[in-house]
Coordinates of all heavy atoms in Angstrom, one line a residue:
G90 N 5.6 -12.0 5.5 CA 4.9 -11.0 4.7 C 4.4 -11.6 3.4 O 3.3 -11.3 2.9
E91 N 5.3 -12.3 2.7 CA 5.0 -12.8 1.4 C 5.2 -14.3 1.3 O 6.1 -14.9 1.9 CB 5.9 -12.2 0.3 CG 5.8 -10.7 0.4 CD 5.8 -10.1 -1.0 OE1 5.6 -10.9 -2.0 OE2 6.0 -8.9 -1.1
L92 N 4.3 -14.9 0.5 CA 4.5 -16.3 0.2 C 5.5 -16.4 -0.9 O 5.5 -15.8 -1.9 CB 3.2 -16.9 -0.4 CG 3.0 -18.4 -0.4 CD1 2.7 -18.9 1.0 CD2 1.9 -18.9 -1.3
L93 N 6.6 -17.2 -0.6 CA 7.7 -17.3 -1.5 C 7.7 -18.6 -2.4 O 8.4 -18.6 -3.5 CB 9.0 -17.2 -0.8 CG 9.2 -16.1 0.2 CD1 10.5 -16.2 1.0 CD2 9.1 -14.7 -0.5
G94 N 7.0 -19.6 -2.0 CA 6.9 -20.8 -2.8 C 6.2 -21.9 -2.1 O 5.7 -21.7 -1.0
Y95 N 6.0 -23.0 -2.9 CA 5.2 -24.1 -2.3 C 5.7 -25.5 -2.9 O 6.3 -25.4 -4.0 CB 3.7 -23.9 -2.4 CG 3.2 -24.3 -3.8 CD1 2.7 -25.6 -4.0 CD2 3.2 -23.4 -4.9 CE1 2.3 -26.0 -5.3 CE2 2.7 -23.8 -6.1 CZ 2.3 -25.0 -6.3 OH 1.8 -25.4 -7.6
V96 N 5.4 -26.5 -2.2 CA 5.5 -27.9 -2.7 C 4.3 -28.6 -2.3 O 3.8 -28.5 -1.2 CB 6.8 -28.5 -2.2 CG1 6.9 -28.8 -0.7 CG2 7.1 -29.9 -3.0
L97 N 3.8 -29.4 -3.3 CA 2.6 -30.2 -3.0 C 2.8 -31.7 -3.3 O 3.3 -32.0 -4.4 CB 1.5 -29.7 -3.9 CG 0.2 -30.6 -4.0 CD1 -0.5 -30.5 -2.6 CD2 -0.7 -30.0 -5.0
M98 N 2.6 -32.5 -2.3 CA 2.7 -34.0 -2.5 C 1.3 -34.6 -2.5 O 0.4 -34.0 -2.0 CB 3.4 -34.5 -1.2 CG 4.8 -34.0 -0.9 SD 5.2 -34.2 0.9 CE 4.8 -32.6 1.5
G99 N 1.2 -35.7 -3.2 CA 0.0 -36.5 -3.2 C 0.3 -38.0 -3.0 O 1.0 -38.5 -3.9
T100 N -0.1 -38.5 -1.9 CA 0.4 -39.9 -1.6 C -0.7 -40.9 -1.6 O -1.8 -40.6 -1.1 CB 1.0 -39.9 -0.1 OG1 2.0 -38.9 -0.1 CG2 1.6 -41.2 0.3
R101 N -0.5 -42.0 -2.2 CA -1.5 -43.1 -2.3 C -1.7 -43.6 -0.9 O -0.9 -43.6 0.0 CB -0.9 -44.2 -3.2 CG -0.8 -43.9 -4.7 CD -0.4 -45.1 -5.5 NE -0.4 -44.7 -6.9 CZ 0.0 -45.6 -7.8 NH1 0.5 -46.8 -7.5 NH2 -0.1 -45.2 -9.1
L102 N -3.0 -44.1 -0.8 CA -3.4 -44.7 0.5 C -2.5 -45.8 1.1 O -2.2 -45.8 2.2 CB -4.8 -45.3 0.4 CG -6.0 -44.3 0.4 CD1 -7.3 -45.0 0.3 CD2 -6.0 -43.5 1.8
D103 N -1.9 -46.6 0.1 CA -1.0 -47.6 0.6 C 0.4 -47.2 0.8 O 1.3 -48.0 1.1 CB -1.1 -48.9 -0.3 CG -0.5 -48.5 -1.7 OD1 -0.1 -47.4 -1.9 OD2 -0.6 -49.5 -2.6
R104 N 0.7 -45.9 0.6 CA 2.0 -45.3 0.8 C 3.1 -45.9 -0.1 O 4.2 -45.7 0.1 CB 2.4 -45.3 2.2 CG 1.6 -44.4 3.1 CD 2.0 -44.4 4.5 NE 1.7 -45.7 5.1 CZ 2.0 -46.1 6.3 NH1 2.7 -45.3 7.1 NH2 1.6 -47.2 6.8
S105 N 2.6 -46.6 -1.1 CA 3.6 -47.2 -2.1 C 4.3 -46.1 -2.9 O 5.4 -46.2 -3.3 CB 3.0 -48.2 -3.0 OG 2.0 -47.5 -3.8
R106 N 3.6 -45.0 -3.1 CA 4.0 -44.0 -4.0 C 3.4 -42.6 -3.7 O 2.2 -42.6 -3.4 CB 3.5 -44.3 -5.5 CG 4.0 -43.4 -6.5 CD 3.5 -43.8 -7.9 NE 4.1 -45.1 -8.3 CZ 3.9 -45.6 -9.5 NH1 3.3 -44.9 -10.4 NH2 4.5 -46.7 -9.9
S107 N 4.3 -41.6 -3.8 CA 3.8 -40.3 -3.7 C 4.2 -39.5 -4.9 O 5.2 -39.8 -5.6 CB 4.4 -39.6 -2.4 OG 3.9 -38.4 -2.2
W108 N 3.4 -38.5 -5.3 CA 3.7 -37.7 -6.5 C 4.0 -36.3 -6.0 O 3.3 -35.8 -5.0 CB 2.5 -37.6 -7.4 CG 2.4 -38.8 -8.3 CD1 1.7 -40.0 -7.9 CD2 2.9 -39.0 -9.6 NE1 1.8 -40.9 -9.0 CE2 2.6 -40.3 -10.0 CE3 3.7 -38.2 -10.5 CZ2 2.9 -40.9 -11.2 CZ3 4.0 -38.8 -11.7 CH2 3.7 -40.1 -12.1
I109 N 5.0 -35.7 -6.5 CA 5.2 -34.2 -6.3 C 4.3 -33.5 -7.4 O 4.6 -33.6 -8.6 CB 6.6 -33.8 -6.5 CG1 7.6 -34.5 -5.5 CG2 6.8 -32.3 -6.4 CD1 7.2 -34.2 -4.0
L110 N 3.2 -33.0 -6.9 CA 2.2 -32.4 -7.8 C 2.5 -30.9 -8.2 O 1.8 -30.4 -9.1 CB 0.8 -32.6 -7.3 CG 0.4 -34.0 -7.0 CD1 -0.9 -34.1 -6.2 CD2 0.2 -34.8 -8.3
G111 N 3.4 -30.3 -7.4 CA 3.6 -28.9 -7.7 C 4.9 -28.5 -6.9 O 5.0 -28.9 -5.7
L112 N 5.7 -27.7 -7.5 CA 6.9 -27.0 -6.8 C 7.1 -25.7 -7.5 O 7.3 -25.7 -8.7 CB 8.1 -27.9 -6.9 CG 9.4 -27.2 -6.4 CD1 9.4 -27.1 -4.9 CD2 10.6 -28.0 -6.9
A113 N 7.0 -24.7 -6.8 CA 7.2 -23.3 -7.4 C 7.8 -22.4 -6.4 O 7.4 -22.4 -5.2 CB 5.9 -22.8 -8.0
I114 N 8.7 -21.6 -6.9 CA 9.3 -20.5 -6.1 C 9.0 -19.2 -6.9 O 9.2 -19.1 -8.1 CB 10.8 -20.6 -6.0 CG1 11.2 -22.0 -5.2 CG2 11.4 -19.5 -5.2 CD1 10.6 -22.1 -3.9
D115 N 8.6 -18.2 -6.1 CA 8.3 -16.9 -6.7 C 9.6 -16.4 -7.5 O 10.7 -16.6 -7.1 CB 8.1 -15.9 -5.5 CG 8.0 -14.5 -6.0 OD1 7.0 -14.1 -6.6 OD2 8.9 -13.7 -5.7
R116 N 9.4 -15.8 -8.7 CA 10.5 -15.4 -9.6 C 11.6 -14.6 -8.8 O 12.8 -14.8 -9.1 CB 10.0 -14.5 -10.7 CG 9.1 -15.3 -11.6 CD 8.5 -14.3 -12.7 NE 7.4 -15.0 -13.4 CZ 7.6 -16.0 -14.3 NH1 8.8 -16.3 -14.7 NH2 6.5 -16.6 -14.9
R117 N 11.2 -13.7 -8.0 CA 12.2 -12.8 -7.3 C 13.0 -13.5 -6.2 O 13.8 -13.0 -5.7 CB 11.4 -11.6 -6.7 CG 10.8 -10.7 -7.7 CD 9.8 -9.8 -7.1 NE 8.7 -10.6 -6.5 CZ 7.8 -10.2 -5.7 NH1 7.8 -8.9 -5.3 NH2 6.9 -11.0 -5.1
S118 N 12.5 -14.8 -5.9 CA 13.1 -15.4 -4.7 C 13.9 -16.7 -5.2 O 14.2 -17.5 -4.3 CB 12.0 -15.8 -3.7 OG 11.3 -14.7 -3.3
R119 N 14.1 -16.8 -6.4 CA 14.8 -18.0 -6.9 C 16.3 -18.0 -6.7 O 16.8 -16.9 -6.5 CB 14.5 -18.3 -8.4 CG 13.1 -18.6 -8.6 CD 12.8 -19.0 -10.0 NE 11.3 -19.1 -10.1 CZ 10.6 -19.0 -11.3 NH1 11.3 -18.9 -12.4 NH2 9.3 -19.1 -11.3
G120 N 17.0 -19.1 -6.7 CA 18.4 -19.1 -6.5 C 18.9 -18.9 -5.1 O 20.1 -18.6 -4.9
R121 N 18.0 -19.0 -4.1 CA 18.3 -18.7 -2.7 C 18.1 -19.9 -1.9 O 18.1 -19.8 -0.6 CB 17.4 -17.5 -2.2 CG 17.8 -16.2 -2.8 CD 16.8 -15.1 -2.5 NE 16.6 -14.9 -1.1 CZ 15.6 -14.2 -0.5 NH1 14.7 -13.7 -1.3 NH2 15.6 -14.1 0.8
G122 N 17.9 -21.0 -2.5 CA 17.9 -22.3 -1.7 C 16.5 -22.7 -1.3 O 16.3 -23.8 -0.7
F123 N 15.5 -21.9 -1.7 CA 14.1 -22.3 -1.2 C 13.5 -23.5 -1.9 O 12.8 -24.3 -1.2 CB 13.1 -21.1 -1.4 CG 13.5 -19.9 -0.6 CD1 13.5 -18.6 -1.2 CD2 13.8 -20.0 0.7 CE1 13.8 -17.5 -0.4 CE2 14.2 -18.9 1.5 CZ 14.1 -17.6 0.9
G124 N 13.8 -23.7 -3.2 CA 13.3 -24.9 -3.8 C 13.9 -26.1 -3.2 O 13.2 -27.1 -2.9
R125 N 15.2 -26.1 -3.0 CA 15.9 -27.3 -2.3 C 15.3 -27.5 -1.0 O 15.1 -28.6 -0.5 CB 17.4 -27.0 -2.3 CG 18.2 -28.2 -1.8 CD 19.6 -28.0 -1.8 NE 20.2 -27.9 -3.1 CZ 20.4 -29.0 -3.9 NH1 20.1 -30.2 -3.5 NH2 20.9 -28.8 -5.1
W126 N 15.1 -26.5 -0.2 CA 14.6 -26.5 1.1 C 13.2 -27.2 1.2 O 13.0 -28.1 2.0 CB 14.6 -25.1 1.8 CG 14.3 -25.1 3.2 CD1 14.3 -26.1 4.1 CD2 14.0 -23.9 4.0 NE1 14.0 -25.6 5.4 CE2 13.8 -24.3 5.3 CE3 13.9 -22.5 3.7 CZ2 13.5 -23.4 6.4 CZ3 13.6 -21.6 4.7 CH2 13.4 -22.0 6.0
L127 N 12.4 -26.7 0.3 CA 11.0 -27.3 0.3 C 11.0 -28.8 -0.1 O 10.3 -29.6 0.5 CB 10.1 -26.6 -0.8 CG 9.5 -25.2 -0.3 CD1 8.9 -24.5 -1.5 CD2 8.5 -25.4 0.8
M128 N 11.9 -29.1 -1.1 CA 11.9 -30.5 -1.5 C 12.5 -31.4 -0.4 O 12.1 -32.5 -0.1 CB 12.8 -30.7 -2.8 CG 12.1 -30.3 -4.1 SD 10.6 -31.3 -4.4 CE 11.4 -33.0 -4.6
A129 N 13.5 -30.8 0.3 CA 14.1 -31.6 1.4 C 13.1 -31.9 2.5 O 13.0 -33.0 3.0 CB 15.4 -30.9 1.9
E130 N 12.3 -30.8 2.8 CA 11.2 -31.0 3.9 C 10.2 -32.0 3.4 O 9.7 -32.8 4.2 CB 10.6 -29.7 4.1 CG 11.4 -28.7 5.0 CD 11.6 -29.3 6.4 OE1 10.7 -29.9 7.0 OE2 12.7 -29.0 6.9
A131 N 9.8 -31.9 2.1 CA 8.8 -32.9 1.6 C 9.4 -34.3 1.7 O 8.6 -35.2 2.2 CB 8.5 -32.5 0.2
L132 N 10.6 -34.5 1.2 CA 11.1 -35.9 1.3 C 11.3 -36.4 2.7 O 11.1 -37.6 3.0 CB 12.5 -35.9 0.5 CG 12.4 -35.6 -1.0 CD1 13.8 -35.6 -1.6 CD2 11.5 -36.5 -1.7
K133 N 11.6 -35.5 3.6 CA 11.8 -35.9 5.0 C 10.4 -36.4 5.5 O 10.4 -37.5 6.2 CB 12.2 -34.7 5.9 CG 12.7 -35.0 7.2 CD 13.5 -33.8 7.8 CE 12.5 -32.8 8.5 NZ 13.2 -31.7 9.1
R134 N 9.3 -35.7 5.2 CA 8.0 -36.1 5.7 C 7.6 -37.4 5.0 O 7.1 -38.3 5.7 CB 7.0 -35.0 5.4 CG 7.1 -33.8 6.4 CD 6.5 -32.6 5.8 NE 7.0 -31.5 6.6 CZ 6.2 -30.8 7.5 NH1 4.9 -31.1 7.7 NH2 6.7 -29.8 8.2
L135 N 7.9 -37.6 3.8 CA 7.5 -38.8 3.1 C 8.3 -40.0 3.7 O 7.8 -41.1 3.8 CB 7.7 -38.7 1.6 CG 6.8 -37.6 0.9 CD1 7.2 -37.5 -0.6 CD2 5.3 -37.9 1.1
R136 N 9.6 -39.8 3.9 CA 10.4 -40.9 4.5 C 9.8 -41.2 5.9 O 9.7 -42.4 6.2 CB 11.9 -40.4 4.7 CG 12.7 -40.5 3.4 CD 14.2 -40.4 3.7 NE 14.9 -40.6 2.4 CZ 15.2 -39.5 1.7 NH1 15.1 -38.3 2.1 NH2 15.8 -39.7 0.5
A137 N 9.5 -40.2 6.7 CA 9.0 -40.5 8.0 C 7.7 -41.3 7.9 O 7.4 -42.1 8.9 CB 8.7 -39.1 8.7
H138 N 6.9 -41.2 6.8 CA 5.7 -41.9 6.7 C 5.9 -43.2 5.9 O 5.0 -43.9 5.5 CB 4.6 -41.1 6.0 CG 4.0 -40.0 7.0 ND1 4.6 -38.8 7.2 CD2 2.9 -40.1 7.8 CE1 3.9 -38.2 8.1 NE2 2.8 -39.0 8.5
E139 N 7.2 -43.6 5.7 CA 7.6 -44.8 5.0 C 7.0 -45.0 3.7 O 6.5 -46.0 3.3 CB 7.3 -46.0 5.9 CG 8.0 -45.9 7.3 CD 7.7 -47.1 8.2 OE1 6.8 -47.7 8.0 OE2 8.6 -47.2 9.1
V140 N 6.9 -43.8 2.9 CA 6.5 -43.9 1.5 C 7.6 -44.6 0.7 O 8.8 -44.4 1.0 CB 6.2 -42.5 1.0 CG1 6.0 -42.5 -0.5 CG2 5.0 -41.9 1.8
G141 N 7.2 -45.4 -0.2 CA 8.2 -46.2 -1.0 C 8.9 -45.5 -2.0 O 10.2 -45.5 -2.1
E142 N 8.2 -44.7 -2.9 CA 8.8 -44.0 -4.0 C 8.1 -42.7 -4.2 O 7.0 -42.5 -3.9 CB 8.5 -44.8 -5.4 CG 9.0 -46.2 -5.4 CD 8.7 -47.0 -6.6 OE1 7.7 -46.5 -7.3 OE2 9.3 -47.9 -7.0
V143 N 9.0 -41.8 -4.8 CA 8.4 -40.4 -5.1 C 8.5 -40.2 -6.6 O 9.6 -40.4 -7.2 CB 9.2 -39.3 -4.4 CG1 8.5 -38.0 -4.6 CG2 9.3 -39.6 -2.9
W144 N 7.4 -39.9 -7.2 CA 7.4 -39.8 -8.7 C 7.1 -38.2 -8.9 O 6.4 -37.6 -8.2 CB 6.3 -40.6 -9.3 CG 6.6 -42.1 -9.3 CD1 6.8 -42.9 -8.3 CD2 6.6 -42.9 -10.5 NE1 7.1 -44.1 -8.7 CE2 7.0 -44.2 -10.0 CE3 6.5 -42.7 -11.8 CZ2 7.1 -45.3 -10.9 CZ3 6.7 -43.7 -12.7 CH2 7.0 -45.0 -12.2
L145 N 7.5 -37.8 -10.1 CA 7.2 -36.4 -10.6 C 7.3 -36.4 -12.0 O 8.0 -37.2 -12.7 CB 8.0 -35.4 -9.9 CG 9.5 -35.4 -10.0 CD1 10.0 -34.8 -11.3 CD2 10.2 -34.7 -8.8
T146 N 6.7 -35.4 -12.6 CA 7.0 -35.1 -14.1 C 7.5 -33.7 -14.2 O 7.2 -32.8 -13.4 CB 5.7 -35.2 -14.9 OG1 4.8 -34.1 -14.6 CG2 5.0 -36.5 -14.7
V147 N 8.3 -33.5 -15.2 CA 8.9 -32.2 -15.4 C 9.1 -32.0 -16.9 O 9.3 -32.9 -17.7 CB 10.2 -32.1 -14.6 CG1 11.3 -33.2 -15.1 CG2 10.9 -30.7 -14.8
E148 N 9.0 -30.7 -17.3 CA 9.1 -30.4 -18.7 C 10.6 -30.7 -19.1 O 11.5 -30.3 -18.4 CB 8.8 -28.9 -18.9 CG 8.6 -28.5 -20.3 CD 8.5 -27.0 -20.5 OE1 8.2 -26.3 -19.4 OE2 8.7 -26.5 -21.6
P149 N 10.8 -31.4 -20.2 CA 12.2 -31.8 -20.6 C 13.1 -30.6 -20.7 O 14.3 -30.8 -20.4 CB 11.9 -32.5 -21.9 CG 10.5 -32.9 -22.0 CD 9.8 -32.0 -21.1
A150 N 12.7 -29.4 -21.0 CA 13.6 -28.3 -21.2 C 13.9 -27.6 -19.9 O 14.6 -26.6 -19.8 CB 13.0 -27.3 -22.2
N151 N 13.2 -28.0 -18.7 CA 13.4 -27.3 -17.5 C 14.6 -27.7 -16.7 O 14.6 -28.5 -15.8 CB 12.1 -27.6 -16.6 CG 12.0 -26.7 -15.4 OD1 13.0 -26.0 -15.0 ND2 10.9 -26.6 -14.8
A152 N 15.8 -27.1 -17.2 CA 17.1 -27.5 -16.7 C 17.2 -27.3 -15.2 O 17.8 -28.2 -14.5 CB 18.2 -26.8 -17.4
A153 N 16.7 -26.2 -14.7 CA 16.9 -25.9 -13.2 C 16.2 -26.9 -12.4 O 16.8 -27.5 -11.4 CB 16.3 -24.5 -12.9
A154 N 15.0 -27.2 -12.7 CA 14.2 -28.3 -12.0 C 14.9 -29.7 -12.1 O 15.1 -30.4 -11.0 CB 12.8 -28.3 -12.4
I155 N 15.3 -30.0 -13.3 CA 15.9 -31.4 -13.5 C 17.2 -31.5 -12.7 O 17.4 -32.4 -12.0 CB 16.1 -31.6 -15.0 CG1 14.7 -31.7 -15.7 CG2 16.9 -32.9 -15.2 CD1 14.8 -31.7 -17.2
E156 N 18.0 -30.4 -12.7 CA 19.3 -30.4 -11.9 C 18.9 -30.6 -10.4 O 19.6 -31.3 -9.7 CB 20.0 -29.1 -12.1 CG 21.0 -29.1 -13.2 CD 22.0 -28.0 -13.1 OE1 22.5 -27.7 -12.0 OE2 22.5 -27.6 -14.2
L157 N 17.9 -29.9 -10.0 CA 17.6 -30.0 -8.6 C 17.1 -31.4 -8.2 O 17.6 -32.0 -7.2 CB 16.4 -29.0 -8.2 CG 15.7 -29.2 -6.9 CD1 16.7 -29.0 -5.8 CD2 14.5 -28.2 -6.7
Y158 N 16.3 -32.0 -9.1 CA 15.7 -33.3 -8.8 C 16.9 -34.4 -8.8 O 17.0 -35.3 -8.0 CB 14.6 -33.7 -9.7 CG 13.4 -32.8 -9.7 CD1 12.7 -32.4 -10.8 CD2 12.9 -32.3 -8.4 CE1 11.6 -31.5 -10.7 CE2 11.8 -31.5 -8.3 CZ 11.2 -31.1 -9.5 OH 10.1 -30.3 -9.4
E159 N 17.8 -34.2 -9.9 CA 18.9 -35.3 -9.9 C 19.8 -35.1 -8.8 O 20.3 -36.1 -8.3 CB 19.6 -35.0 -11.3 CG 18.9 -35.5 -12.5 CD 19.6 -35.5 -13.7 OE1 20.4 -34.6 -14.0 OE2 19.4 -36.4 -14.5
S160 N 20.0 -33.9 -8.3 CA 20.9 -33.7 -7.1 C 20.3 -34.3 -5.9 O 21.0 -34.7 -4.9 CB 21.2 -32.2 -6.9 OG 20.1 -31.5 -6.3
L161 N 19.0 -34.5 -5.9 CA 18.3 -35.1 -4.7 C 18.2 -36.7 -4.9 O 17.6 -37.3 -4.0 CB 16.9 -34.6 -4.6 CG 16.9 -33.1 -4.1 CD1 15.5 -32.5 -4.2 CD2 17.3 -32.9 -2.6
G162 N 18.7 -37.2 -6.0 CA 18.7 -38.6 -6.3 C 17.6 -39.1 -7.2 O 17.5 -40.3 -7.4
F163 N 16.8 -38.3 -7.8 CA 15.8 -38.7 -8.7 C 16.5 -39.2 -10.0 O 17.4 -38.6 -10.5 CB 14.8 -37.6 -9.1 CG 13.8 -37.3 -8.0 CD1 14.0 -36.5 -6.9 CD2 12.5 -37.8 -8.1 CE1 13.1 -36.2 -6.0 CE2 11.5 -37.5 -7.2 CZ 11.8 -36.7 -6.1
D164 N 15.9 -40.3 -10.6 CA 16.3 -40.8 -11.9 C 15.3 -40.5 -12.9 O 14.1 -40.6 -12.7 CB 16.6 -42.3 -11.8 CG 17.7 -42.7 -10.9 OD1 18.8 -42.0 -10.9 OD2 17.5 -43.6 -10.1
K165 N 15.7 -40.2 -14.2 CA 14.8 -40.1 -15.3 C 14.4 -41.5 -15.7 O 15.3 -42.3 -16.0 CB 15.5 -39.4 -16.5 CG 16.0 -38.0 -16.2 CD 16.8 -37.5 -17.4 CE 17.3 -36.1 -17.0 NZ 18.4 -35.7 -18.0
V166 N 13.1 -41.8 -15.7 CA 12.7 -43.1 -16.1 C 12.0 -43.2 -17.4 O 11.9 -44.3 -18.0 CB 11.8 -43.8 -15.0 CG1 12.7 -44.2 -13.8 CG2 10.6 -43.0 -14.6
E167 N 11.4 -42.0 -17.8 CA 10.7 -42.1 -19.1 C 10.5 -40.7 -19.7 O 10.3 -39.7 -19.0 CB 9.3 -42.7 -18.8 CG 8.4 -42.9 -20.0 CD 7.0 -43.4 -19.6 OE1 6.7 -43.6 -18.4 OE2 6.1 -43.3 -20.5
H168 N 10.6 -40.6 -21.0 CA 10.2 -39.4 -21.7 C 8.8 -39.7 -22.3 O 8.6 -40.5 -23.2 CB 11.2 -39.0 -22.8 CG 10.8 -37.7 -23.5 ND1 11.7 -36.7 -23.6 CD2 9.7 -37.3 -24.1 CE1 11.1 -35.7 -24.2 NE2 9.9 -36.0 -24.6
H169 N 7.8 -39.1 -21.6 CA 6.4 -39.4 -22.0 C 5.9 -38.4 -23.0 O 5.7 -37.2 -22.6 CB 5.6 -39.4 -20.7 CG 4.3 -40.1 -20.8 ND1 3.7 -41.0 -20.0 CD2 3.3 -39.9 -21.8 CE1 2.6 -41.4 -20.3 NE2 2.3 -40.8 -21.4
R170 N 5.7 -38.8 -24.2 CA 5.2 -37.9 -25.3 C 3.7 -37.6 -25.0 O 3.0 -38.4 -24.5 CB 5.3 -38.5 -26.7 CG 6.7 -38.7 -27.1 CD 6.8 -38.7 -28.7 NE 8.2 -38.7 -29.1 CZ 9.0 -37.7 -29.0 NH1 8.6 -36.5 -28.6 NH2 10.3 -37.9 -29.3

Side-chain angles (χ1 to χ4, degrees):
E91 302 223 15
L92 196 77
L93 308 177
Y95 81 92
V96 64
L97 171 65
M98 302 155 262
T100 304
R101 290 184 173 176
L102 278 180
D103 66 2
R104 290 180 291 175
S105 61
R106 181 180 298 188
S107 184
W108 283 85
I109 300 297
L110 298 172
L112 171 71
I114 301 298
D115 172 73
R116 292 175 194 283
R117 293 161 301 169
S118 305
R119 290 184 190 161
R121 294 170 56 195
F123 294 136
R125 184 178 292 285
W126 190 11
L127 280 170
M128 280 300 297
E130 284 294 325
L132 296 178
K133 192 165 89 183
R134 282 160 197 251
L135 296 177
R136 280 195 178 96
H138 284 85
E139 301 182 341
V140 171
E142 298 176 341
V143 186
W144 288 59
L145 58 82
T146 71
V147 57
E148 194 189 341
N151 190 345
I155 293 169
E156 270 199 34
L157 169 60
Y158 298 139
E159 285 188 322
S160 74
L161 292 167
F163 281 83
D164 294 318
K165 297 173 186 164
V166 290
E167 187 187 348
H168 183 123
H169 195 132
R170 289 209 177 284

